[in-house]
Amino acid sequence: MPGGRLTQQERQQIASGLADGLAYAEIARGLDRPTSTITREVMRNGGPTAYRADLAHRATERRTHQRRRAAPRGAQTPPQPHGRDAEAVREYEETLTTVFIQSGLPKMMARVLVSLYTTDSGSLTASELTERLQVSPASVSKAIAFLEAQGLARRERDDRRRERYVIDDDVWYQASVASARSLAQVVETSRQGVRILGADTPAGTRLENIARFVDFVSESTLRAAEQARAVLHTKTEGAVPDGGGEQPSGQ
């Protein structure tokens, strides 16, 4: 499988594939590239309906030039623990950010969440996020407020009284519960509409069908989240360490 950056010819093939209505995976197979590479390329350059090969190529060259200019000032990718490839980590973070954006997260919220996910401690201070992402403290604060509301992150104070932003091991359980609660509000409001519009009217019937469907999905989500948490928590607690103990981190 070829590595390195996409060529202008490959970008033209991506544009042609999008125009023909091909899925990212199909375009990737034609180029012998990972699907994530195509997904990231398209989403960073206008999305499937606005992607243009020439504009995407120039934008990539511009970003590369900006990174090279910034490197002497110390903005280069920091050294990675555990012998990780710093460039591979950066590329992965971009891919995961793109996936989160596609799932509906705003860009800054996705970037903050990815930073927390890919940090071994699972927590960062506001200043660490500001430096890591090269954004303003206000942008970080707004992103964290959004993630808290979705159950995807929380705040705590460390021993130096600094506010830290944290993701827990059961972050997706908490997010699933928050999502189910928001769906419950949709159910309640839909059924309020049924009472106002009339259960025997087309509009009332439509709203009742919405309420039943969403109620079923909400309850199923909660049950699945509880079951998954119970199973995974039990496995984690019952895990037996290898006889050799923990491997040194190299830090």
Side-chain angles (χ1 to χ4, degrees), residues 139-228:
S139 296
V140 169
S141 180
K142 182 178 179 181
I144 288 296
F146 177 91
L147 294 173
E148 277 189 302
Q150 301 300 313
L152 292 170
R154 63 179 175 83
R155 303 168 193 249
E156 66 177 27
R157 294 280 181 180
D158 62 17
D159 53 4
R160 295 170 58 185
R161 304 299 300 166
R162 296 178 304 178
E163 192 171 71
R164 300 192 71 87
Y165 307 128
V166 182
I167 55 166
D168 297 312
D169 290 339
D170 63 350
V171 60
W172 282 108
Y173 168 78
Q174 300 294 344
S176 297
V177 170
S179 176
R181 286 173 179 165
S182 68
L183 289 178
Q185 293 179 343
V186 174
V187 174
E188 180 181 349
T189 306
S190 296
R191 289 201 164 126
Q192 180 183 1
V194 174
R195 293 191 296 270
I196 293 172
L197 298 173
D200 296 331
T201 67
T205 300
R206 185 181 306 114
L207 285 170
E208 178 59 27
N209 287 337
I210 291 171
R212 289 179 178 178
F213 179 86
V214 175
D215 193 25
F216 182 85
V217 170
S218 176
E219 289 295 328
S220 298
T221 298
L222 281 173
R223 284 197 300 271
E226 292 288 355
Q227 291 169 358

Side-chain angles (χ1 to χ4, degrees), residues 15 39 53 202 221 228 242 244:
T39 303
T221 298
D242 293 335

Side-chain angles (χ1 to χ4, degrees), residues 18-36:
L18 292 172
D20 291 339
L22 300 182
Y24 293 154
E26 194 170 353
I27 296 173
R29 283 194 295 271
L31 294 174
D32 196 21
R33 291 275 192 171
T35 302
S36 60

